[in-house]
Amino acid sequence: MSALQGPVVPTPDALAALRPLPADAVRLTPDGLLGAWQERNAASTLPHCVTRLSTHGNLDNLRRVTGDSDTAFTGFWFADTDVHKTLEAAFWSGTQQAFVEEAAALLEKAQDADGYLDSYYQDPEHRTRQWTELHFSHEMYTAGHLIQAAVAAARSAPDDPVAQQVVSVARRFADLLVQRYGQSRETDGHPEIETALAELYRVTGHRPYLDLAARFLDNRGHQVLGPGRFGPAYYQDHQPLRETDEVTGHVVRQLYLLAGAVDVAVETGDRELLAVTERLWDSALDSRTYITGGQGSRHRDEAYGDAYELPPDRAYAETCAAIASFQLGWRLLLATGKVKYADEMERVLYNAIAASTAVDGTAFFYSTPLQRRTGHDGGGENAPGHRLDWYECACCPPNLARLMASLHTYAATGDDNGLQLHLYADGTVAAGGHTVTVQTRYPWDEEITVTVTSPSDQPWTLSLRIPAWCPDARLAVNGTPAPSRDQVKDGYLRLHRIWHPGDRIVLTLTMPVRLVAAHPRVDAVRGAAALTRGPLVHCLEHADLPTSGPLAGALFEDLELDPAAPAAVAYHGSGLAPVTLRVGVRLRAASGGPLYRDLNRTIPPPAATTTVTAIPYFLWANREPGPMRVWIPLAPREE
Amino acid sequence: MSALQGPVVPTPDALAALRPLPADAVRLTPDGLLGAWQERNAASTLPHCVTRLSTHGNLDNLRRVTGDSDTAFTGFWFADTDVHKTLEAAFWSGTQQAFVEEAAALLEKAQDADGYLDSYYQDPEHRTRQWTELHFSHEMYTAGHLIQAAVAAARSAPDDPVAQQVVSVARRFADLLVQRYGQSRETDGHPEIETALAELYRVTGHRPYLDLAARFLDNRGHQVLGPGRFGPAYYQDHQPLRETDEVTGHVVRQLYLLAGAVDVAVETGDRELLAVTERLWDSALDSRTYITGGQGSRHRDEAYGDAYELPPDRAYAETCAAIASFQLGWRLLLATGKVKYADEMERVLYNAIAASTAVDGTAFFYSTPLQRRTGHDGGGENAPGHRLDWYECACCPPNLARLMASLHTYAATGDDNGLQLHLYADGTVAAGGHTVTVQTRYPWDEEITVTVTSPSDQPWTLSLRIPAWCPDARLAVNGTPAPSRDQVKDGYLRLHRIWHPGDRIVLTLTMPVRLVAAHPRVDAVRGAAALTRGPLVHCLEHADLPTSGPLAGALFEDLELDPAAPAAVAYHGSGLAPVTLRVGVRLRAASGGPLYRDLNRTIPPPAATTTVTAIPYFLWANREPGPMRVWIPLAPREE
């Protein structure tokens, strides 16, 4: 039996600072938050997705091609990708066998003799448009997600005939692409095929897949896609990637493209291309990323917008963009070993990604804004202030399902020389011959206990990430406090020794409450602060406002953070949020009045002050709908 | 020969506090700003529009219907409205006779036997869709603009056969609507027909037009249009207008609808409906209007957005919405006589509307944002940071042309009992038997000299608007200072006496520089101030930044307003902006750094302070493209 593997497995010759572990090397327990999310995904989100593929017509779209359904084509023209992503999730999770078998058989039956498979463009009415409108058609994007499902199949169930069936279908489509576009100057309007082909190369060793991925990257940026509705920068076709300094345009397109570029760069040893992807990642993080890790400031074209244009209320911050950021971060972490990529994976995971799913796992945000006002007008939105159980463009839910199903594979890296822990979660980790148990209630609790469970007579290095947000990491080994600062190198605490079973490392990542301000160029949140603790961004939500006392009946928007009242941590021990924050707020006295006034007109002193609860951002909108805000206006200091 | 009239002429029995003057009662001289704009419109903007109708295919669309062209239909499906609005502008301006004759003949020839006229839906490929998709088709919106052109024809050239030809065409279409929809429960997705039919009733006295307008108003609000892409509130179909408390949805639709509602209310004596329009106007002004008078915060659905959601950078603030606000304000001013409507007309005219046109009159903003950042990404915008000479959806330029061509008619009202001056401009005004000359360089200058030129042996009242922004209005009559405050009633200085030729009233509207703050609920401009003087909002523009000295090479976004340096007025005497402001600014020292930081981390003191020019907002983007801002961050006060 072959070794099980997860997403992103660079070949042995690839540029790589870190190596992913086998897919079964990390096991998360549901006692930890990541393990609980993974369990919820298998128990609720993934079955929900499988059901929706039937009720929303995605499977029937394919059955129309096979002649087994005569209903009309339903949904967006790339609706097949919801099937592919759900299939990928099912492979990673090892569940939903009946769906897997049904989908695999259906895809095989629907595939054209030449390998083409796209139920929208196989429709007799659309067939003549095949390959004629690449800027728009998503045909290769759809092929890419089919291939990703096949990659998951090959890595998670290498000996399973059904998995092999999916791999065969995907390879036939990939072979068609190689045959058709191997010498072409064209490319697809929505990236995804690049990373998919590179991964398929990794699975199959078939070099033409990698070459085609590299070709698509190079074809892009020469205005081969036309102006479209939003201009060539919308799909990163305005200039060659290698000449680009700033992320731009449609966020998911940009991030999927960069993921493909990293894959190609590391497999071809192209350090220049790898540097380009790092430069673009920096440009996103320096000026175009929300404090939640979300990216994308504009609704109209789902795009980045200008540098420092980060409105909390109109944050588009698409869930798929957050997932894409996580996937890109992992690729860059593997390639470079730089801690900043792991830090960002953590931020986006615990905030933008986590917020997208309801606590019951069956409702989702498409867009993850950082503010909702009283009386919010959700018309024209993809997220009307509360999570929906599905979307007409349902890219996000199955994307969440495939990420969560493979979440454990992103927690650690390693090889015979050691083990690197990047995301802390209750569970067990094995790398090379080394195994450890991780016990922690992180991110609620500051303490992480790592117990070695494998014997060794050779020294090896246990590396523990020290997040950039942590002001003071404390270490104890076998009960003895140890100086931690000296041993932190490049963001990781490196403990090199001969480890014995039972050796016990206790890492304490102190989590003071932080009041955070944005760069002064971020106009949208000037004069406001956000509350964070550890990796968690917090928010005020209407449901936590007192219904009696001085704030009773207050308009949510009239609350200001009281800078004179320090925020405190409230430990609850259990529940959805075992730890919340308590913050002092003031209610502005004069809440009405004209929209514009003389600057020097005296503002009345605050009418009331009190203390309210701030909850982790990712848990908002799990009670009755109402206003929320991450960035809280700062009350003027009293003179 | 009949009396010439302008837009909006309530019948004698209508509810009306003020009466519009005949169209030739006000003459503006090009020495004043309004007169100069009107002259520029006739000399540049309107001819430009006429040319574009040929080069962009609008006339050919109609020629396809008549069999005189075989080119493909071009532009949006409501492209006919550009013809109609340009025709309306030509009638108001009394120019472009050749175009008028050509267009009138073409419209008559293109009209179907039953009166239908819409070149998109007369196309053989689209004909079966006539009247089947009212939520989307704009058929009545197009009819409405045809009718508005006919109203202008009837009022500006009542004895001209070509004008009568246009009136006949429009009436045939209106009669078709009455026949088809007189008992219907349907309505059009884009309001305009309501005000058009009410105005056509005023011109013709034909009551069924008014009844149909009233019916369309009542039909709306019962979800007769379906959910559409953005929900029923997008086209104000979510609840009956009479039950509505807040403006919502697509701004131009909302404001055109309200204009029609005022017209119907005053003609039917429906005070309840009039009160509804005032309530909705208040809701827009209290929480959803930019300091420039622009309305509409969202690009995606061209919509209002939430209360207090007023981002300056992403202000959509469509030019047509500003024009609609002006038109609605005029209707409410006539109906109620309340000065606030005239104040708002002035604000939106001198700022949002004025900004939309380049100084040469041949380039236009679709959207009028209040901020453009360095390196602005205009992808996916309708305004990429500079004015364009036309748009694929070219609603705004001909809308500007029709407004400017009739601008003089909005300056004053009156009758035998007196004369009310609302907009101050160099020129002459006649009402009843009373005539005055107005000499002023307003808004550059504070002084307005009104000289009576007509004899009278009866007392009459000269009313002069005292804008709400003015802290101190001074009056002198025939050289003698007179107490002004006592004579101000409801926002107007009321001077009642027997006026003699040569009587000379000098009104001084003092114009201190004001630093203005927004309501604290406007998150997007917290900690920033805007500079105004008189009716003019000002802005900082990159081109005024010094290229030497301490600010050389400074990033525009790193400038802060220095609260310790009072702003001053700079008189230049002549030029495009005879008056600008000089303001103290500081350059933030640490311009780089991380996107998020601890709030209490010390911000370095400012590196440099100096004084720069702030220009009137409406003149921005007439030099090389670059950043601009109305709301300027306030430097922290030094401790």
Side-chain angles (χ1 to χ4, degrees):
Chain A
M1 178 174 160
S2 323
L4 302 184
Q5 294 178 313
V8 195
V9 185
T11 59
D13 293 336
L15 301 176
L18 300 172
R19 290 288 172 182
L21 300 176
D24 49 1
V26 178
R27 294 181 189 279
L28 306 176
T29 77
D31 294 339
L33 192 53
L34 301 195
W37 286 344
Q38 191 163 54
E39 186 176 75
R40 180 183 69 189
N41 184 62
S44 299
T45 305
L46 181 52
H48 178 83
C49 290
V50 168
T51 302
R52 286 294 176 277
L53 294 180
S54 288
T55 57
H56 280 70
N58 303 68
L59 294 177
D60 279 342
N61 287 341
L62 287 156
R63 292 192 190 104
R64 292 182 78 236
V65 180
T66 63
D68 298 314
S69 168
D70 55 5
T71 58
F73 185 91
T74 312
F76 278 80
W77 55 101
F78 45 87
D80 284 2
T81 56
D82 299 338
V83 178
H84 303 332
K85 283 192 282 195
T86 304
L87 187 58
E88 181 187 338
F91 277 118
W92 293 134
S93 98
T95 63
Q96 301 293 329
Q97 186 62 24
F99 161 73
V100 168
E101 288 175 16
E102 181 185 17
L106 183 56
L107 291 170
E108 185 176 61
K109 188 174 177 190
Q111 187 166 40
D112 283 350
D114 68 353
Y116 191 88
L117 177 52
D118 184 319
S119 69
Y120 179 84
Y121 284 99
Q122 289 174 291
D123 183 294
E125 279 190 38
H126 311 145
R127 190 172 272 278
T128 58
R129 287 159 50 201
Q130 280 180 14
W131 305 128
T132 65
E133 46 194 24
L134 288 183
H135 67 291
F136 163 87
S137 70
H138 291 56
E139 282 163 287
M140 292 191 210
Y141 169 81
T142 303
H145 278 301
L146 172 66
I147 292 168
Q148 295 277 26
V151 168
R155 289 184 181 153
S156 63
D159 304 316
D160 173 16
V162 178
Q164 289 161 359
Q165 186 182 20
V166 175
V167 173
S168 297
V169 170
R171 287 201 66 167
R172 278 196 291 272
F173 204 171
D175 292 339
L176 175 64
L177 291 177
V178 169
Q179 177 199 322
R180 186 172 181 98
Y181 291 100
Q183 304 300 319
S184 160
R185 305 299 296 270
E186 294 183 272
T187 195
D188 194 87
H190 198 313
E192 170 63 24
I193 189 65
E194 300 82 359
T195 186
L197 284 171
E199 282 272 89
L200 188 61
Y201 158 72
R202 289 164 171 167
V203 165
T204 62
H206 189 58
R207 178 84 191 189
Y209 299 150
L210 181 64
D211 293 341
L212 184 58
R215 169 171 284 274
F216 284 143
L217 285 172
D218 288 336
N219 286 354
R220 203 174 207 88
H222 302 280
Q223 284 114 69
V224 295
L225 295 165
R229 185 173 164 207
F230 300 122
Y234 168 73
Y235 23 50
Q236 296 82 39
D237 190 32
H238 58 306
Q239 62 181 176
L241 182 60
R242 288 167 201 274
E243 299 167 18
T244 306
D245 290 321
E246 299 267 334
V247 289
T248 188
H250 187 271
V251 179
V252 175
R253 282 171 165 83
Q254 175 72 82
L255 292 174
Y256 281 0
L257 180 68
L258 290 175
V262 177
D263 288 341
V264 168
V266 300
E267 293 299 340
T268 60
D270 188 338
R271 292 182 189 277
E272 179 199 84
L273 183 59
L274 181 60
V276 167
T277 63
E278 290 202 75
R279 184 169 79 214
L280 286 167
W281 187 92
D282 283 344
S283 87
L285 269 286
D286 287 349
S287 65
R288 289 179 175 90
T289 302
Y290 286 98
I291 194 171
T292 57
Q295 295 184 20
S297 304
R298 296 189 182 169
H299 280 243
R300 181 170 173 148
D301 47 354
E302 307 183 300
Y304 276 105
D306 297 340
Y308 304 100
E309 178 187 320
L310 290 164
D313 49 353
R314 293 292 287 169
Y316 194 66
E318 184 184 336
T319 294
C320 286
I323 293 169
S325 170
F326 186 88
Q327 294 170 330
L328 173 62
W330 178 245
R331 285 164 167 81
L332 288 168
L333 177 65
L334 293 180
T336 69
K338 294 178 186 170
V339 69
K340 65 180 180 180
Y341 299 119
D343 279 350
E344 185 58 19
M345 289 174 68
E346 177 178 78
R347 176 168 73 161
V348 72
L349 176 64
Y350 280 108
N351 297 288
I353 292 174
S356 59
T357 307
V359 291
D360 77 353
T362 62
F364 314 93
F365 278 131
Y366 193 108
S367 165
T368 57
L370 284 74
Q371 181 179 8
R372 278 291 183 244
R373 286 196 179 77
T374 301
H376 171 64
D377 172 13
E381 304 282 295
N382 274 336
H386 58 275
R387 298 178 185 85
L388 302 182
D389 80 347
W390 206 245
Y391 289 85
E392 194 187 345
C393 177
C395 50
C396 300
N399 217 357
L400 285 163
R402 69 182 184 129
L403 177 72
M404 286 298 163
S406 56
L407 188 60
H408 58 292
T409 69
Y410 297 98
T413 53
D415 54 26
D416 291 346
N417 299 318
L419 188 58
Q420 301 89 36
L421 296 189
H422 306 290
L423 300 176
Y424 296 112
D426 202 84
T428 58
V429 182
H434 321 305
T435 61
V436 299
T437 300
V438 180
Q439 289 171 293
T440 183
R441 293 182 71 247
Y442 187 93
W444 309 118
D445 197 76
E446 302 177 329
E447 207 170 274
I448 299 147
T449 301
V450 180
T451 307
V452 177
T453 53
S454 57
S456 176
D457 53 10
Q458 296 293 320
W460 59 276
T461 305
L462 175 66
S463 298
L464 304 171
R465 183 176 62 93
I466 308 300
W469 54 255
C470 180
D472 182 20
R474 293 176 206 153
L475 175 68
V477 178
N478 292 330
T480 309
S484 66
R485 191 157 307 200
D486 304 345
Q487 302 178 71
V488 174
K489 185 162 171 272
D490 298 333
Y492 288 83
L493 183 63
R494 315 274 185 187
L495 303 173
H496 181 76
R497 64 175 69 182
I498 299 174
W499 294 103
H500 302 290
D503 277 350
R504 193 157 173 272
I505 302 101
V506 178
L507 176 67
T508 303
L509 298 172
T510 55
M511 296 183 177
V513 181
R514 288 177 65 205
L515 273 178
V516 177
H519 192 288
R521 289 184 194 145
V522 183
D523 298 296
V525 297
R526 182 173 293 114
L531 292 152
T532 69
R533 176 179 176 268
L536 296 180
V537 174
H538 288 67
C539 67
L540 289 190
E541 195 178 20
H542 68 103
D544 292 309
L545 259 56
T547 52
S548 63
L551 257 55
L555 191 73
F556 187 81
E557 283 70 24
D558 288 339
L559 293 184
E560 294 176 330
L561 202 61
D562 186 349
V569 179
Y571 294 94
H572 308 286
S574 64
L576 286 173
V579 182
T580 61
L581 307 184
R582 295 288 293 172
V583 295
V585 293
R586 300 184 191 173
L587 179 66
R588 266 195 306 271
S591 57
L595 194 48
Y596 303 102
R597 61 177 170 77
D598 279 349
L599 179 65
N600 56 12
R601 217 174 81 183
T602 310
I603 301 177
T609 67
T610 189
T611 303
V612 299
T613 294
I615 61 166
Y617 167 73
F618 80 83
L619 286 169
W620 86 278
N622 279 293
R623 295 171 288 185
E624 68 272 33
M628 175 279 295
R629 73 188 312 161
V630 166
W631 292 99
I632 311 168
L634 288 162
R637 284 176 191 279
E638 293 184 74
E639 309 281 314
Chain B
M1 178 173 161
S2 323
L4 302 183
Q5 295 178 313
V8 195
V9 186
T11 59
D13 294 335
L15 300 177
L18 300 172
R19 291 288 173 182
L21 299 176
D24 51 359
V26 179
R27 294 181 190 277
L28 306 176
T29 77
D31 294 339
L33 191 52
L34 301 195
W37 286 344
Q38 191 163 54
E39 187 177 73
R40 181 183 68 188
N41 185 61
S44 299
T45 304
L46 181 51
H48 178 83
C49 290
V50 168
T51 302
R52 286 294 175 278
L53 294 180
S54 288
T55 56
H56 279 70
N58 304 67
L59 295 176
D60 279 341
N61 287 341
L62 288 157
R63 292 192 189 105
R64 294 182 76 236
V65 179
T66 63
D68 298 314
S69 168
D70 56 4
T71 58
F73 184 91
T74 312
F76 278 80
W77 55 102
F78 46 88
D80 284 2
T81 56
D82 299 339
V83 178
H84 303 332
K85 284 192 280 193
T86 305
L87 187 58
E88 180 186 340
F91 277 117
W92 293 134
S93 101
T95 63
Q96 301 293 331
Q97 187 60 26
F99 161 72
V100 168
E101 290 174 15
E102 181 185 17
L106 184 55
L107 291 170
E108 185 176 60
K109 188 174 177 188
Q111 188 166 40
D112 284 350
D114 67 354
Y116 191 89
L117 177 53
D118 184 319
S119 70
Y120 179 84
Y121 283 99
Q122 290 174 292
D123 183 296
E125 278 190 38
H126 311 143
R127 191 171 272 278
T128 58
R129 286 160 49 201
Q130 281 180 14
W131 305 129
T132 65
E133 46 193 23
L134 290 183
H135 67 290
F136 163 87
S137 71
H138 291 55
E139 282 163 290
M140 294 192 210
Y141 169 80
T142 304
H145 278 301
L146 172 67
I147 291 168
Q148 295 277 27
V151 168
R155 290 185 180 152
S156 64
D159 305 316
D160 174 14
V162 177
Q164 289 161 357
Q165 185 182 22
V166 174
V167 173
S168 298
V169 170
R171 287 202 65 168
R172 279 195 290 274
F173 204 170
D175 291 339
L176 175 64
L177 291 178
V178 169
Q179 177 198 323
R180 185 170 183 100
Y181 292 100
Q183 305 300 320
S184 158
R185 305 299 298 270
E186 294 184 90
T187 194
D188 194 88
H190 198 313
E192 170 64 25
I193 188 65
E194 301 82 0
T195 186
L197 284 170
E199 282 272 88
L200 188 61
Y201 158 72
R202 289 163 171 168
V203 165
T204 62
H206 188 58
R207 177 83 191 190
Y209 298 152
L210 181 64
D211 293 341
L212 185 59
R215 169 172 284 273
F216 283 144
L217 285 172
D218 288 334
N219 287 354
R220 204 174 208 86
H222 302 279
Q223 286 115 69
V224 296
L225 295 165
R229 185 173 163 207
F230 299 122
Y234 169 73
Y235 24 52
Q236 295 81 41
D237 190 31
H238 57 308
Q239 64 181 176
L241 182 59
R242 289 168 201 273
E243 299 167 19
T244 306
D245 290 320
E246 299 267 333
V247 290
T248 188
H250 188 271
V251 180
V252 175
R253 282 171 165 82
Q254 176 72 82
L255 293 173
Y256 281 0
L257 180 68
L258 290 176
V262 177
D263 288 341
V264 167
V266 299
E267 293 301 341
T268 60
D270 188 339
R271 291 182 191 277
E272 178 199 84
L273 182 59
L274 181 60
V276 168
T277 63
E278 290 201 75
R279 184 170 78 212
L280 285 167
W281 186 94
D282 284 343
S283 87
L285 269 285
D286 287 349
S287 66
R288 288 180 177 90
T289 303
Y290 285 99
I291 193 170
T292 58
Q295 295 184 18
S297 304
R298 296 189 182 168
H299 280 244
R300 181 168 173 149
D301 46 354
E302 308 183 301
Y304 276 105
D306 297 339
Y308 304 100
E309 178 185 319
L310 291 164
D313 48 354
R314 293 291 288 169
Y316 194 66
E318 184 183 337
T319 294
C320 285
I323 293 169
S325 170
F326 186 87
Q327 294 170 329
L328 173 62
W330 180 243
R331 284 164 167 81
L332 288 168
L333 177 65
L334 293 179
T336 69
K338 293 178 186 170
V339 68
K340 66 179 179 180
Y341 299 118
D343 279 350
E344 185 58 19
M345 288 173 69
E346 177 178 78
R347 176 167 75 161
V348 72
L349 176 64
Y350 279 108
N351 298 289
I353 293 174
S356 59
T357 307
V359 291
D360 77 353
T362 63
F364 314 92
F365 278 130
Y366 194 108
S367 165
T368 58
L370 284 74
Q371 179 179 7
R372 277 292 182 244
R373 286 197 179 76
T374 301
H376 170 64
D377 172 13
E381 304 283 295
N382 274 336
H386 58 276
R387 298 177 185 85
L388 302 181
D389 79 347
W390 206 245
Y391 288 86
E392 195 187 346
C393 176
C395 50
C396 300
N399 215 357
L400 285 163
R402 70 181 183 129
L403 176 72
M404 287 297 163
S406 56
L407 188 60
H408 58 292
T409 69
Y410 297 98
T413 52
D415 54 26
D416 291 348
N417 299 319
L419 188 58
Q420 300 90 35
L421 296 188
H422 306 290
L423 300 177
Y424 295 111
D426 202 84
T428 58
V429 182
H434 323 305
T435 62
V436 299
T437 300
V438 180
Q439 289 171 292
T440 184
R441 293 183 72 245
Y442 186 93
W444 310 119
D445 198 75
E446 301 176 332
E447 207 170 271
I448 299 146
T449 301
V450 181
T451 307
V452 176
T453 53
S454 58
S456 173
D457 54 9
Q458 297 292 321
W460 59 275
T461 305
L462 176 65
S463 298
L464 304 171
R465 183 176 63 91
I466 308 300
W469 54 255
C470 180
D472 182 20
R474 295 176 206 152
L475 175 68
V477 178
N478 293 328
T480 307
S484 65
R485 191 157 307 197
D486 303 345
Q487 303 178 69
V488 174
K489 185 161 171 274
D490 297 334
Y492 288 83
L493 183 63
R494 315 275 186 187
L495 303 172
H496 182 74
R497 64 173 71 180
I498 299 175
W499 293 102
H500 302 290
D503 277 350
R504 192 157 174 274
I505 302 99
V506 177
L507 175 66
T508 302
L509 297 172
T510 54
M511 297 183 177
V513 181
R514 287 177 66 205
L515 274 178
V516 178
H519 192 289
R521 288 182 195 147
V522 183
D523 298 296
V525 297
R526 181 173 292 113
L531 292 152
T532 69
R533 177 181 175 267
L536 297 180
V537 174
H538 288 67
C539 67
L540 290 189
E541 194 178 20
H542 67 102
D544 293 309
L545 259 56
T547 52
S548 63
L551 258 53
L555 190 73
F556 187 81
E557 283 70 25
D558 289 337
L559 293 185
E560 294 177 329
L561 203 60
D562 186 349
V569 179
Y571 294 95
H572 308 286
S574 63
L576 286 173
V579 182
T580 60
L581 306 183
R582 296 286 294 171
V583 296
V585 293
R586 299 185 192 174
L587 179 66
R588 266 196 305 273
S591 56
L595 194 49
Y596 303 101
R597 61 176 170 77
D598 279 348
L599 179 65
N600 57 10
R601 217 173 81 183
T602 311
I603 301 177
T609 67
T610 189
T611 303
V612 300
T613 294
I615 62 166
Y617 167 73
F618 80 84
L619 286 169
W620 85 279
N622 278 294
R623 294 172 288 185
E624 67 273 33
M628 174 277 296
R629 74 188 312 160
V630 166
W631 292 98
I632 312 168
L634 288 162
R637 286 176 189 278
E638 293 184 74
E639 309 281 317

